[in-house]
Amino acid sequence: SQQGEEDPQALSIQEGENATMNCSYKTSINNLQWYRQNSGRGLVHLILIRSNEREKHSGRLRVTLDTSKKSSSLLITASRAADTASYFCATDARRGSTLGRLYFGRGTQLTVWP
Amino acid sequence: DGGITQSPKYLFRKEGQNVTLSCEQNLNHDAMYWYRQDPGQGLRLIYYSQIVNDFQKGDIAEGYSVSREKKESFPLTVTSAQKNPTAFYLCASSIISGTGLYEQYFGPGTRLTVT
C-alpha cells in the first residue's frame, strides 16, 4: 500500500499565483521528500525535510512538515508556466527491514496557465 | 556526465516474449531501484538492490526478475508471466545512509508497450 497520498489530485492556476499541494502519510518517518515529474520524464528531487524539521525553503519552494498530523505541504510561490508538472511526495517510513526504499503517493498534477 | 541512463526510451514487444530493460548509473551509488508507473498513478516499487549480488522484492515483483552483477548496472526483465506489462518503467539510484537521509536519482524512463 502507498504510504503517501497527495491532495488535490489536480490543481490549475494562473501564472503568478501560489500553488499549494498537501501530502498525508500513515506511519512514522525519518524524512519526507518531494519530487517533480514532467510529462513522460523521470522524477527530479526537489527537497527533503527531516522528521525533526518543521519548515524548509529552497528558492520558490516552501515545505512544511507536521509529524503530529502526519502531513506535509509543498508551496510554490509566484508560479510559472514551466512549473507545470506532477508533484509527488515520498516517505521512507520507519520500518527496519525496509530501510532504503521510498513510498510514493499518486501525485498532484499542477497546471499553470500563462 | 554523471547520471543514470535507461535504454531504450520506447520498447515494443509481442505478448509472450520476455524483454529486458537496461539501467546504468555512474554515480557510484550502492542502491538501485525499479518502479512501474501507470497513467495517473504513483510509482510502485518492483525490485530494489542495496548491494551487488543482492536484491529484494518490492510491492509488485510478480512477473519480473532482476540481477545485480555490477554496482553500476541493474537490468529488469519483464517476463511473459507479467499479466499487464504495458507501462512506464523508471530506474533510480541512491546512496545508502543509516539515517535514511538520501534522495533518489531517476533515469528518463522506458515506455514499454506489449501487444
Side-chain angles (χ1 to χ4, degrees), chain A residues 19-75:
Chain A
T20 300
M21 289 158 270
N22 302 297
C23 171
S24 59
Y25 57 92
K26 297 187 178 122
T27 65
S28 297
I29 60 173
N30 291 309
N31 69 80
L32 184 144
Q33 304 179 39
W34 285 91
Y35 288 80
R36 165 196 169 122
Q37 183 183 34
N38 287 74
S39 182
R41 309 289 291 273
L43 277 69
V44 175
H45 181 264
L46 294 176
I47 198 164
L48 180 153
I49 186 165
R50 306 176 190 189
S51 59
N52 61 354
E53 296 176 316
R54 292 297 167 258
E55 188 171 311
K56 203 160 182 180
H57 296 254
S58 176
R60 293 185 295 113
L61 305 181
R62 173 179 169 253
V63 169
T64 62
L65 179 64
D66 187 336
T67 52
S68 67
K69 295 182 180 177
K70 291 187 170 59
S71 68
S72 173
S73 68
L74 170 67
L75 168 68

Side-chain angles (χ1 to χ4, degrees), chain B residues 6-109:
Chain B
Q6 292 184 244
S7 61
K9 189 170 176 65
Y10 298 96
L11 192 53
F12 298 88
R13 279 293 183 273
K14 294 286 188 186
E15 198 173 320
Q17 294 179 335
N18 291 355
V19 59
T20 298
L21 282 59
S22 166
C23 178
E24 304 277 332
Q25 54 99 359
N26 61 3
L27 300 168
N28 200 33
H29 287 169
D30 288 307
M32 297 187 74
Y33 311 82
W34 273 106
Y35 295 93
R36 171 184 172 134
Q37 187 177 33
D38 294 283
Q41 301 292 313
L43 276 65
R44 291 186 289 170
L45 183 65
I46 305 172
Y47 269 99
Y48 65 109
S49 167
Q50 296 184 337
I51 195 169
V52 173
N53 291 324
D54 189 41
F55 46 82
Q56 289 78 40
K57 292 182 179 180
D59 301 319
I60 55 165
E62 186 175 349
Y64 299 97
S65 66
V66 293
S67 63
R68 187 87 187 276
E69 296 177 2
K70 299 186 295 182
K71 186 175 184 178
E72 57 271 21
S73 179
F74 191 41
L76 172 75
T77 297
V78 184
T79 75
S80 56
Q82 168 48 235
K83 301 212 182 309
N84 187 17
T86 294
F88 189 50
Y89 290 88
L90 286 160
C91 181
S93 69
S94 74
I95 63 170
I96 288 291
S97 164
T99 59
L101 299 177
Y102 51 84
E103 62 185 86
Q104 292 189 5
Y105 292 76
F106 283 80

